[in-house]
Amino acid sequence: MSVERITMINSIVEMDGDEMARVVWRWVKERLIEPYVELKVEYYDLHLKVRDETNDEVTVRAAEAIKRWGVGVKCATITPNAERVREYNLKREWRSPNATIREILDGTIFRAPIMVKNIAPAVRFWRKPIVVARHAFGDIYSGVGIRFEEAGEAEVVFRSSSGKELRAKLPKLTGPGVLQAYYNLDKSIESFARSSFKYALINNLDVWFAAKETISKVYDARFKEVFHEVYEREFKEEFERRGLKYEYYLIDDAYSRAMRSEGGFVWATKNYDGDVLSDMVASAFSGSLAMMTSELMSPEGHYMSEAAHGTVQRHYYRYLKGEKTSTNPTAIIFAWSKALRRRGEMDGLRDLITFAEALEAATKLTIEDGMVTQDLARVCEGPVKAILTTEEFIEAVRSKLNALLPHRR
Ligand code: NAP
Ligand code: MG
């Protein structure tokens, strides 16, 4: 047992979740965190049943708590559909907790791959992570469309609350077809830019933003302008002092540069670009969702980390039948280590930061040693020494961790 556990000053907001992710969550916490750290958490149970009982108030309270404490860590939760409503006998289809939390914090999601030596990225030049930041507001996701059956004309009319009108006409529509209108707000673009630069500073990464302002002369041009303004006004000095760069590229140029790059940057993307790109980058890095974390950063610097994967439902049903599953806990371990590191940095706790780093190193070393869960056995190079169950994997990480932290055993 531990000689002396690390003490904390401020709490982390812990949000528990559902199914297999919840089971693994507890194992990680009890076996890899609590023996070393005297955890201070403010706990919120986001289990689907609790969300139902509290009419989802618990999610709102958890988000408010992140605003108070600054750091949260979240387990995957079920976003209910009709099937889940029956399965859990729910009052209604509650919304995605992640969407609620993101909205309350006005935050941006950053998806970061966890890289290990024996899993080569699909792009052979990539040496460092590419973190995709998706602007999850507006554009086609809240647009409107019209399908028209004959020739005609169309224009977009903006009527301001003070009664002014702005109009833009589309070219003549010569036959049946479709049209679409969508929007974004300066305030949201600004928050997105600010969160992206903040995240990059914390992680010592460059920032890329890419759009198509040569074609989209009003819409994308405004995005480019806002990024430029926020950078110049609030971040340039610090970026230059730290030797970090902010680059704007045309979106097609950015894609081709990214393939030739060695990685190591935050790629801030518009909503649709991020939707498409984040899934592609995720599989290109490691071929398993369990090797990807997801972090939420607000423009004020409020932070939440989680695994990018969901509740791993199929494994849970097997677990309930008493089977041992080989669910990969890596992203859950990293969700904790990232939250602990952020807490440590905010509170000036060197020990906590060192612990978070050791925990990540121990996890990577275990995989690099060829001791892996089922999902990685398929994608990793070099000899696989053993395919482990989740609990065996956690034990293997623990013995590596003990070797890295001899004085804390
Ligand atoms: P998922 O839970 O990520 O699982 C999809 C599949 O990916 C699994 O069946 C499994 O494949 C593999 N997988 C994911 N994580 C793994 C891990 N740690 N170790 C090994 N394999 C892993 O996604 P889903 O099945 O689409 O969604 C399940 C539930 O999660 C849904 O109710 C959804 O609402 C919720 N969800 C929550 C979040 C969140 O809270 N952030 C995110 C996404 C989904 P095999 O079965 O082939 O082994
Ligand atoms: Mg997508």
Side-chain angles (χ1 to χ4, degrees):
M1 241 359 293
S2 58
V3 178
E4 180 205 339
R5 294 195 299 168
I6 297 159
T7 51
M8 294 173 63
I9 300 170
N10 290 301
S11 296
I12 287 176
V13 178
E14 176 187 357
M15 287 152 281
D16 213 337
D18 292 299
E19 300 192 314
M20 201 62 210
R22 185 184 179 98
V23 176
V24 176
W25 186 264
R26 188 172 37 99
W27 288 339
V28 167
K29 189 177 158 186
E30 287 174 0
R31 300 173 195 185
L32 294 177
I33 316 276
E34 284 176 332
Y36 308 91
V37 181
E38 210 169 299
L39 259 188
K40 273 188 153 181
V41 297
E42 191 165 298
Y43 178 86
Y44 291 85
D45 192 352
L46 302 195
H47 187 281
L48 186 50
K49 265 319 239 180
V50 181
R51 281 182 275 148
D52 196 52
E53 278 154 22
T54 62
N55 295 324
D56 212 17
E57 262 301 308
V58 64
T59 310
V60 175
R61 279 192 277 116
E64 298 293 346
I66 299 175
K67 281 190 172 174
R68 274 198 313 281
W69 289 109
V71 182
V73 61
K74 180 180 169 290
C75 177
T77 45
I78 293 169
T79 299
N81 52 18
E83 207 174 296
R84 299 298 204 162
V85 169
R86 284 191 298 279
E87 183 183 354
Y88 285 85
N89 190 23
L90 304 176
K91 293 180 203 157
R92 47 170 287 200
E93 277 182 34
W94 302 106
R95 5 182 357 216
S96 144
N98 289 57
T100 303
I101 296 167
R102 190 173 63 222
E103 228 169 74
I104 292 174
L105 297 182
D106 185 21
T108 298
I109 304 283
F110 298 82
R111 276 182 149 209
I114 299 161
M115 296 180 76
V116 288
K117 291 199 186 103
N118 50 344
I119 302 177
V123 177
R124 68 192 144 91
F125 305 115
W126 290 354
R127 300 267 175 277
K128 302 178 199 159
I130 295 174
V131 180
V132 178
R134 173 180 172 188
H135 181 212
F137 177 83
D139 298 0
I140 59 169
Y141 300 86
S142 42
V144 290
I146 292 177
R147 175 172 172 186
F148 47 92
E149 303 291 349
E150 52 184 333
E153 49 189 50
E155 65 181 327
V156 180
V157 182
F158 169 81
R159 211 166 289 118
S160 81
S161 32
S162 66
K164 283 186 218 111
E165 266 189 15
L166 297 171
R167 289 166 179 270
K169 227 180 159 103
L170 283 163
K172 201 164 172 46
L173 307 171
T174 55
V178 283
L179 68 86
Q180 185 176 25
Y182 56 80
Y183 73 98
N184 222 299
L185 298 174
D186 283 3
K187 183 170 175 293
S188 174
I189 305 168
E190 251 175 56
S191 293
F192 172 52
R194 202 169 282 126
S195 302
S196 300
F197 291 125
K198 263 216 163 104
Y199 179 96
L201 277 182
I202 287 169
N203 293 283
N204 248 329
L205 295 167
D206 293 341
V207 172
W208 291 17
F209 175 64
K212 193 77 178 180
E213 100 285 358
T214 47
I215 301 298
S216 174
K217 291 184 198 303
V218 176
Y219 202 94
D220 282 18
R222 184 63 190 141
F223 273 79
K224 179 183 176 187
E225 205 169 65
V226 169
F227 261 79
H228 182 74
E229 285 165 7
V230 170
Y231 177 70
E232 290 286 323
R233 198 170 57 226
E234 299 169 33
F235 294 95
K236 189 176 179 187
E237 225 180 280
E238 182 66 7
F239 266 61
E240 285 178 352
R241 204 178 59 75
R242 304 257 293 266
L244 298 172
K245 284 204 269 316
Y246 163 58
E247 307 276 9
Y248 171 81
Y249 298 117
L250 281 172
I251 186 80
D252 38 359
D253 186 25
Y255 268 74
S256 112
R257 280 172 190 273
M259 298 306 269
R260 286 177 273 128
S261 80
E262 60 162 23
F265 55 92
V266 175
W267 187 344
T269 61
K270 288 175 61 198
N271 210 346
Y272 176 80
D273 298 325
D275 187 348
V276 178
L277 190 67
S278 59
D279 287 13
M280 194 199 75
V281 169
S283 3
F285 266 101
S286 66
S288 169
L289 263 185
M291 299 300 284
M292 174 80 47
T293 58
S294 175
E295 296 163 274
L296 180 87
M297 174 70 69
S298 87
E300 290 85 23
H302 300 140
Y303 175 88
M304 180 186 93
S305 59
E306 63 169 344
H309 61 75
T311 60
V312 215
Q313 185 181 9
R314 294 206 304 166
H315 294 212
Y316 183 58
Y317 293 153
R318 294 211 296 272
Y319 166 81
L320 287 181
K321 281 195 244 155
E323 286 172 38
K324 295 265 181 205
T325 70
S326 185
T327 315
N328 186 345
T330 302
I332 292 176
I333 297 172
F334 273 66
W336 273 101
S337 66
K338 282 171 179 260
L340 290 171
R341 175 186 302 166
R342 176 86 180 133
R343 185 76 278 167
E345 281 164 0
M346 285 172 73
D347 297 350
L349 296 175
R350 191 59 241 173
D351 278 0
L352 198 58
I353 299 170
T354 307
F355 171 75
E357 286 166 357
L359 180 56
E360 292 181 2
T363 310
K364 288 182 172 194
L365 283 171
T366 305
I367 297 168
E368 287 168 357
D369 241 10
M371 303 202 284
V372 297
T373 43
Q374 187 71 54
D375 57 322
L376 296 191
R378 287 191 295 263
V379 292
C380 82
E381 287 166 26
V384 168
K385 271 194 214 141
I387 299 178
L388 307 175
T389 65
T390 308
E391 293 184 271
E392 289 165 348
F393 182 86
I394 289 173
E395 271 322 300
V397 172
R398 183 157 162 174
S399 62
K400 292 249 188 278
L401 186 58
N402 286 336
L404 291 173
L405 300 169
H407 57 295
R408 298 220 176 263
R409 303 186 54 176

